[in-house]
Amino acid sequence: MTISGSIRRAGRGRKWWALLGFGAAVTVAAAVGALGVRGTQEEYAGLDQPAWAPPSWLFGPVWTVLYALIAVAGWLVWRKAGWGPALGAWVTQLVLNAIWTPLFFGAGRYGLAFAEIVLMWLAIGVTVALFRRVSRPAALLLLPYWAWVTFAAALNFAIWRLNG
């Protein structure tokens, strides 16, 4: 094997390790969001909800898939462009994602959580736009997340109005 072949293989290995890093970042965001928040299913079940509210068991599977898509999207952009404004937007929306759960469930601040989810929705939109310039597949991977946050914002608003 040549030295250049070894270097190329080592570079590919680093790319795969970076994917694990992006996965770890979204896992940390999810964990930080859940820190100190207990009994979310019970709290959710105890709220006055609109008729179209999904059952609490649906949120875990949906977020698992969405977090995987968010991680892969960030990794694809990193592979093409490295760290820059697009990944800065990605980090921003991820931080906002982590903040929402403690606001809504931990603090019971449904109105403040709604304002925060609107900021998250905007940050996801900026991320999609910036990702589109770098990697169309990465931008497309974020669309289900953006759609779910749109739905979650409507649900947050309805719960705020019904329980305020």
Side-chain angles (χ1 to χ4, degrees):
M1 173 173 297
T2 66
I3 292 175
S4 64
S6 296
I7 292 171
R8 272 194 305 272
R9 218 170 49 225
R12 281 193 303 265
R14 278 195 299 272
K15 288 178 185 176
W16 289 110
W17 280 108
L19 177 56
L20 291 176
F22 280 92
V26 297
T27 301
V28 166
V32 166
L35 280 177
V37 179
R38 301 276 186 264
T40 56
Q41 287 188 345
E42 294 81 14
E43 182 177 346
Y44 180 75
L47 293 169
D48 290 331
Q49 301 175 18
W52 46 270
S56 62
W57 63 262
L58 183 64
F59 292 96
V62 168
W63 276 109
T64 299
V65 171
L66 294 176
Y67 281 132
L69 295 175
I70 294 164
V72 172
W75 176 71
L76 289 172
V77 168
W78 172 80
R79 284 185 59 200
K80 281 203 158 193
W83 292 99
L87 285 179
W90 184 86
V91 168
T92 299
Q93 63 77 29
L94 200 57
V95 168
L96 289 168
N97 182 302
I99 293 169
W100 184 86
T101 300
L103 283 176
F104 189 90
F105 287 108
R109 302 287 308 270
Y110 308 130
L112 187 55
F114 176 71
E116 196 276 347
I117 203 169
V118 169
L119 290 176
M120 180 179 17
W121 186 89
L122 292 169
I124 295 166
V126 169
T127 305
V128 168
L130 292 173
F131 274 28
R132 173 78 170 81
R133 295 177 187 168
V134 177
S135 167
R136 185 168 185 203
L140 292 173
L141 286 173
L142 291 181
L143 294 182
Y145 171 44
W146 202 13
W148 182 259
V149 170
T150 302
F151 173 76
L155 181 59
N156 184 157
F157 182 79
I159 289 173
W160 174 35
R161 301 315 311 152
L162 291 169
N163 295 275

